[in-house]
Amino acid sequence: MARITPRASFWAWSAVAGVVSAAVFLAVAEILSLVFARDGSPILAVGGFVIDIVPQPFKEFAIETFAEYDKIALLVGLGLAVVIASALAGIVQFARPPLGLVAFTVAGVLSGAAVLTRAGATFISVIPTVTATVSACVIVRLLVARLWTWAHSTTRENSQAGGVDRRAFVRLTALAGLSAVIVGAGARVATVATSSIEAVRKALTLPTPTTTVTIPEGAQLDVPGLSPLITSNADFYRVDTALTVPSIDPETWKLTIDGMVGERIELSFDDLVAMGVDEYAITLTCVSNEVGGDLLGNAIWLGIPLRKVLERAAPASDADMVLSRSVDGYTASTPLSALVDDDLDAILAIGMNGEPLPLEHGFPVRMVVPGLYGYVSATKWLTQLTVTTFAQDEAYWTPRGYSAQAPIKFSSRIDTPRPGTPINAGRVPVAGMAWAQTVGIDRVEVRIDDGDWQPATLSTPINKNTWVQWFIEWDATPGTHYLTVRAVNVNGDVQTEERAPIAPDGSSGWQRTLVTVTDAN
Ligand SMILES: Nc1nc2c(c(=O)[nH]1)N[C@H]1C(S)=C(S)[C@@H](COP(=O)(O)O)O[C@H]1N2
Ligand SMILES: [Mo]
């Protein structure tokens, strides 16, 4: 008796053929981009494109939900979309050839377009995608044709031919799938392993600074649960639009200063270092930091004042903005006045806490400007400074719902006790951080429930550009309590109670923490 294969299983197999063809697409694209177009990987290009076009609320949702795993979540989501779409492509190729080929071609064209939107892409960058599209079309056509042969032989009730055709199809599908996985994964691993910039970074010796930062006596309070005064590189927050961290060799790196300048100049890494480096303690803050959030960090940066660097190009007097550009195309708009101000240490940083900049924090050169949110000032993987005007140019986030100019709103936060942690009645330290870059914190006040504002003890500030620590000792009584904190800056301004969301120019309001105190006995 002939064993008739049920119709449904052919649909399932056609879906498998589609997915295997998509795997072939990715494998071919990965191996070719490894060999001759590092920026040609369509999956990364599509991911990068999605990051640039998704509306801001989705980005915020992603950052909130997945935290530092936001990019992995994006890749997993893209992967799922690819599996579903390619399964459908296989099915339509089985049902209505050559619709599957049309689907793969459309996907190929869209991926190619995404590759071309990436900064620095040339027409060579699309060769991997084009070749991959052709390969996927050939494979899906071949596999589905085999599937047809098998489907026909089983309906002819010829069990022997049916078995042979089934084996031929399954064998070819398995072979294509397996080779794709091996080649694709191998190419990706090789790409990562051969990007030797981490080794270059490790081998780099930083120049000795002319002046160093002295941490004053009493700068660091000893309270459990309080953030350290200097944030370690490993714990430093990271925010950027880069799906893969750019690899830049300091040997070939250069900075171009152009636009409204007396002289367009180019500086190598060595030119920059030769200008002399100093240490600067500066607290960097992200505009996406919610009240009480942890998207800020304090580091000792090794760098060169931007005013010295810009001076060489002689900016025009009617310019009012510097558009800084990263190798990956990201841009920030910084007021020219902030970068040439003698009293403000806006720097090009090459070191962070005694090491060359970590790759994810902008290796080899980034900007750090005291008092301005990172998105308008702290360009990582810096490659170009264009002197221009706010009227003429706009930066990455400006058309995406954020202000072109954004000074940091001074603020304060409670690190301990954390909401929800059980507390025993008695003496409880309440402590946290406060920052008012370029101005300085005068005092911090804490309120328990609706009581009076009590002055907190402050740590000795390193300088006006860094955060300070504060603490009070609270005699906690059983029950639930609200702890509220606010800062007063050196100008005498009191931190505003008025709540603002992070868009368009940073959050505001007082942090209020609910804690539950239980009787120790
Ligand atoms: N090239 C590049 N530089 C960038 C960004 C970016 O997306 N790309 N993000 C900026 C933002 S929004 C912030 S808050 C800081 C964060 O710097 P960090 O990741 O070193 O903490 O980098 C800034 N520099
Ligand atoms: Mo940011």
Side-chain angles (χ1 to χ4, degrees):
M1 247 311 277
R3 197 158 47 89
I4 307 288
T5 310
R7 286 188 65 86
S9 68
F10 288 115
W11 295 117
W13 277 115
S14 63
V16 171
V19 173
V20 164
S21 306
V24 168
F25 175 97
L26 291 175
V28 170
E30 284 304 318
I31 189 97
L32 291 184
S33 20
L34 169 66
V35 179
F36 62 95
R38 282 291 169 116
D39 57 350
S41 164
I43 192 101
L44 296 181
V46 170
F49 182 74
V50 170
I51 289 178
D52 290 350
I53 59 156
V54 292
Q56 186 49 25
F58 284 96
K59 272 188 222 184
E60 273 152 30
F61 168 80
I63 292 176
E64 259 163 47
T65 318
F66 304 113
E68 63 263 54
Y69 302 111
D70 57 340
K71 280 153 195 148
I72 294 173
L74 170 70
L75 288 176
V76 170
L78 272 179
L80 277 179
V82 167
V83 168
I84 293 168
S86 58
L88 289 175
I91 291 170
V92 297
Q93 177 66 15
F94 184 67
R96 298 255 183 292
L99 272 190
L101 301 190
V102 172
F104 271 104
T105 308
V106 169
V109 168
L110 292 178
S111 315
V115 168
L116 283 176
T117 63
R118 300 294 87 202
T122 62
F123 102 100
I124 295 187
S125 324
V126 294
I127 292 178
T129 307
V130 171
T131 318
T133 308
V134 174
S135 314
C137 287
V138 169
I139 290 290
V140 77
R141 191 160 176 271
L142 198 69
L143 293 181
V144 172
R146 286 286 163 95
L147 188 58
W148 265 108
T149 315
W150 168 25
H152 282 292
S153 59
T154 58
T155 52
R156 272 189 271 113
E157 308 206 352
N158 177 344
S159 70
Q160 225 181 339
V164 169
D165 294 335
R166 174 173 55 90
R167 275 192 294 279
F169 167 77
V170 172
R171 211 175 287 147
L172 192 63
T173 307
L175 184 71
L178 213 64
S179 331
V181 169
I182 292 169
V183 170
R188 194 93 281 275
V189 169
T191 303
V192 173
T194 55
S195 29
S196 50
I197 296 304
E198 187 54 58
V200 172
R201 173 183 176 271
K202 284 224 171 76
L204 191 75
T205 338
L206 290 177
T208 312
T210 315
T211 61
T212 54
V213 169
T214 347
I215 309 285
E217 193 84 19
Q220 172 90 50
L221 301 176
D222 184 17
V223 180
L226 180 60
S227 300
L229 180 68
I230 309 286
T231 317
S232 69
N233 291 355
D235 291 340
F236 209 94
Y237 80 97
R238 176 186 166 196
V239 171
D240 56 60
T241 59
L243 192 52
T244 51
V245 174
S247 296
I248 308 163
D249 189 338
E251 282 287 320
T252 54
W253 176 88
K254 68 179 195 317
L255 175 66
T256 305
I257 306 179
D258 59 7
M260 301 165 66
V261 290
E263 190 191 352
R264 176 186 192 277
I265 61 167
E266 273 185 7
L267 295 173
S268 68
F269 191 76
D270 289 341
D271 294 336
L272 198 62
V273 168
M275 296 179 76
V277 294
D278 293 285
E279 278 187 357
Y280 300 87
I282 301 168
T283 299
L284 195 64
T285 309
C286 182
V287 71
S288 300
N289 191 47
E290 302 278 0
V291 170
D294 54 11
L295 291 181
L296 75 162
N298 185 39
I300 298 185
W301 310 92
L302 184 69
I304 300 97
L306 263 154
R307 74 182 95 83
K308 277 218 261 178
V309 178
L310 284 169
E311 196 172 77
R312 293 200 170 181
S317 57
D318 49 345
D320 65 4
M321 188 258 268
V322 171
L323 191 73
S324 50
R325 184 178 298 274
S326 155
V327 294
D328 67 356
Y330 177 88
T331 51
S333 53
T334 314
L336 176 62
S337 57
L339 303 183
V340 296
D341 189 336
D342 280 332
D343 299 323
L344 199 92
D345 291 323
I347 57 165
L348 290 183
I350 61 167
M352 182 174 182
N353 294 328
E355 289 175 19
L357 288 177
L359 301 192
E360 63 275 22
H361 293 293
F363 184 81
V365 181
R366 75 172 306 169
M367 290 171 57
V368 180
V369 182
L372 302 179
Y373 285 118
Y375 83 100
V376 288
S377 70
T379 303
K380 306 191 271 190
W381 315 294
L382 181 71
T383 184
Q384 190 182 14
L385 295 171
T386 303
V387 179
T388 177
T389 61
F390 280 102
Q392 207 172 305
D393 276 307
E394 60 177 15
Y396 184 90
W397 284 109
T398 314
R400 293 174 169 84
Y402 284 82
S403 301
Q405 304 200 41
I408 297 171
K409 297 179 182 174
F410 74 99
S411 190
S412 53
R413 141 185 124 187
I414 303 171
D415 285 1
T416 184
R418 299 231 159 235
T421 33
I423 299 172
N424 288 335
R427 297 224 155 253
V428 175
V430 179
M433 316 299 283
W435 55 95
Q437 290 95 326
T438 74
V439 176
I441 291 289
D442 179 62
R443 59 180 194 276
V444 170
E445 297 171 333
V446 178
R447 190 173 67 185
I448 312 293
D449 300 319
D450 294 320
D452 294 330
W453 288 103
Q454 306 172 34
T457 305
L458 292 192
S459 67
T460 312
I462 303 178
N463 61 40
K464 56 188 176 23
N465 296 328
T466 54
W467 60 13
V468 292
Q469 299 173 326
W470 58 263
F471 97 111
I472 63 158
E473 201 150 60
W474 169 40
D475 197 5
T477 53
T480 56
H481 298 284
Y482 279 112
L483 309 178
T484 312
V485 66
R486 71 177 187 192
V488 179
N489 73 10
V490 164
N491 295 337
D493 306 319
V494 179
Q495 181 183 337
T496 181
E497 184 180 5
E498 200 179 316
R499 288 244 151 204
I502 60 176
D505 60 2
S507 65
S508 71
W510 296 338
Q511 186 186 357
R512 204 163 77 130
T513 297
L514 180 67
V515 293
T516 305
V517 180
T518 49
D519 214 323
N521 309 303

